[in-house]
Amino acid sequence: MTVVALVPVTGRTGQFGDIARVVLLEPVLRNLDASGCIDLVALVTASSEVDEFTEAPIPVTVIEQNAFATTNSMVARALNTISVSISELSAVLVHDPRHAFAPPELISRVVDEVRAGAPAVVPVLPCTDTVKELDESGVIIATPDRSTLRVAQSPIGFAANLWRDQQQDGWRDLPPGARTIPGHPAARAIRTAFDLAFAKDGS
């Protein structure tokens, strides 16, 4: 059975110049390959960006897609492009490049949990910051209990039957029964050049 990893590389991930689209792509692909459980990697990108990814460190398929596409439409287009039928799938991973240093062992754990029966799997870490809820004018109205909060990471794994049972486009939330697994400090989101320098020093 096939495991497909989709990596959306669009303008939404390029929040600080070319860092997200170019620099972060190499560790994403390197770690997906090192996990030993990914059969196909598809870079989903806007048509204007396709030429940037013709030379990747491992074999990939580049798929043109609207930058604001939903997960469902990305998966459907990717599967059609790479000629993998849904019946051949065991799991689909959607990997946000901002979590570029998610280690191979985390990736393989996500795949294992999906194969064990989870409809969807999200790596998470405890929320260690104090979070404040504000009203529309910026006044603090509550302090949520952070013991119940978690910081989501990537990749997120989905069971293949989600794409069999739900062909229509539109859902953006995780399906009922989605599970969490312990995340990894190296998989922290990278949103600035400072985040990238910090991540590279610790990787």
Side-chain angles (χ1 to χ4, degrees), residues 104-179:
E105 60 267 27
L106 181 64
I107 296 168
S108 61
R109 176 78 188 282
V110 170
V111 172
D112 288 344
E113 289 292 320
V114 172
R115 284 175 164 166
V121 178
V122 185
V124 298
L125 287 178
C127 181
T128 57
D129 292 330
T130 299
V131 178
K132 298 295 183 182
E133 182 180 352
L134 310 181
D135 65 13
E136 294 181 356
S137 63
V139 175
I140 296 173
I141 58 175
T143 303
D145 179 4
R146 65 186 178 193
S147 68
T148 65
L149 301 177
R150 297 294 183 270
V151 177
Q153 297 186 324
S154 184
I156 298 175
F158 297 92
N161 61 9
L162 289 178
W163 317 114
R164 297 191 197 101
D165 299 341
Q166 200 160 354
Q167 293 296 319
Q168 77 275 13
D169 197 16
W171 66 264
R172 292 170 181 264
D173 296 325
L174 293 169
R179 301 178 190 171

Side-chain angles (χ1 to χ4, degrees), residues 5 29 33 38-43 53-62:
L29 297 177
D33 185 44
I38 306 300
D39 299 298
L40 292 169
V41 178
L43 303 182
F53 309 110
T54 55
E55 295 185 8
I58 61 172
V60 300
T61 296
V62 178

Side-chain angles (χ1 to χ4, degrees), residues 17-94:
D18 291 333
I19 291 177
R21 293 197 302 272
V22 179
V23 176
L24 298 184
L25 188 59
E26 192 276 332
V28 166
L29 297 177
R30 181 186 67 228
N31 289 336
L32 285 171
D33 185 44
S35 72
C37 59
I38 306 300
D39 299 298
L40 292 169
V41 178
L43 303 182
V44 185
T45 181
S47 58
S48 61
E49 300 170 330
V50 167
D51 291 342
E52 296 182 33
F53 309 110
T54 55
E55 295 185 8
I58 61 172
V60 300
T61 296
V62 178
I63 299 170
E64 296 182 29
Q65 178 68 70
N66 184 294
F68 299 98
T70 63
T71 300
N72 253 15
S73 62
M74 284 194 298
V75 171
R77 185 170 178 83
L79 296 183
N80 289 335
T81 302
I82 61 183
S83 300
V84 175
S85 70
I86 293 177
S87 63
E88 297 173 333
L89 283 176
S90 61
V92 174
L93 268 59
V94 179

